[in-house]
Amino acid sequence: MSNAFLLAGLALLPTACGDTAVQVPAPKPDAATARLCQGLRLPEKVHGQSGRSTSPDSMLTAAWGSPAIALRCGVPRPAALRPESQLVTINGIDWFGEPLDRPVTFTAVARQAYVEVTVPAKYSPPGNVLIELGGPISATIPQKPEGQI
């Protein structure tokens, strides 16, 4: 599970059991962003769920539990993100949720690397998961200059 504690994904495919690798598309960031993401140290458990391996194996993805909470670091800026977009700030991290009416995918924005987190409905409220992952993100991924998202 070398990748399970670094970062995990958004477009998840269903898996049958907790021991099966979670299908998480690996992002393809530039070299500088990849270096930032590889420094991210995530907890072994999130929301009480143990880490799982991801497929394809990537230092930029991680997952926990079943259904999987997944994270990917170094994703592109969300296409729907606009300066006027509604963001949720949790412990100093600005999150952009999609879809807006029932967010299941959140992207940490205003950071030098975008970090996506998929939170299945089972783990409601999703803010609890974002609180647990926000600390490592804020400690590793520097903020962009004021006013940039």
Side-chain angles (χ1 to χ4, degrees):
M1 279 201 320
S2 65
N3 63 337
F5 308 115
L6 294 177
L7 296 176
L10 289 175
L12 300 176
L13 300 175
T15 57
C17 74
D19 293 337
T20 305
V22 179
Q23 298 297 311
V24 181
K28 296 179 175 130
D30 62 39
T33 302
R35 278 191 300 279
L36 282 173
C37 291
Q38 289 170 354
L40 189 58
R41 296 294 175 250
L42 297 170
E44 290 185 30
K45 289 189 174 196
V46 171
H47 204 65
Q49 303 297 307
S50 296
R52 296 178 59 188
S53 57
T54 60
S55 179
D57 188 32
S58 172
M59 298 292 287
L60 306 176
T61 64
W64 301 265
S66 181
I69 297 166
L71 183 144
R72 300 188 315 150
C73 187
V75 298
R77 176 187 168 116
L81 181 62
R82 305 278 183 266
E84 65 276 4
S85 293
Q86 182 179 358
L87 303 177
V88 175
T89 303
I90 301 174
N91 292 344
I93 301 280
D94 292 325
W95 296 95
F96 176 66
E98 295 181 277
L100 192 55
D101 62 337
R102 189 181 54 83
V104 292
T105 298
F106 295 87
T107 304
V109 299
R111 298 272 156 186
Q112 292 181 21
Y114 292 103
V115 181
E116 277 180 347
V117 179
T118 299
V119 184
K122 172 183 176 179
Y123 307 110
S124 187
N128 292 339
V129 170
L130 300 180
I131 288 169
E132 290 183 52
L133 295 173
I137 292 169
S138 64
T140 308
I141 311 293
Q143 287 184 301
K144 288 184 176 181
E146 181 81 24
Q148 292 185 13
I149 54 173

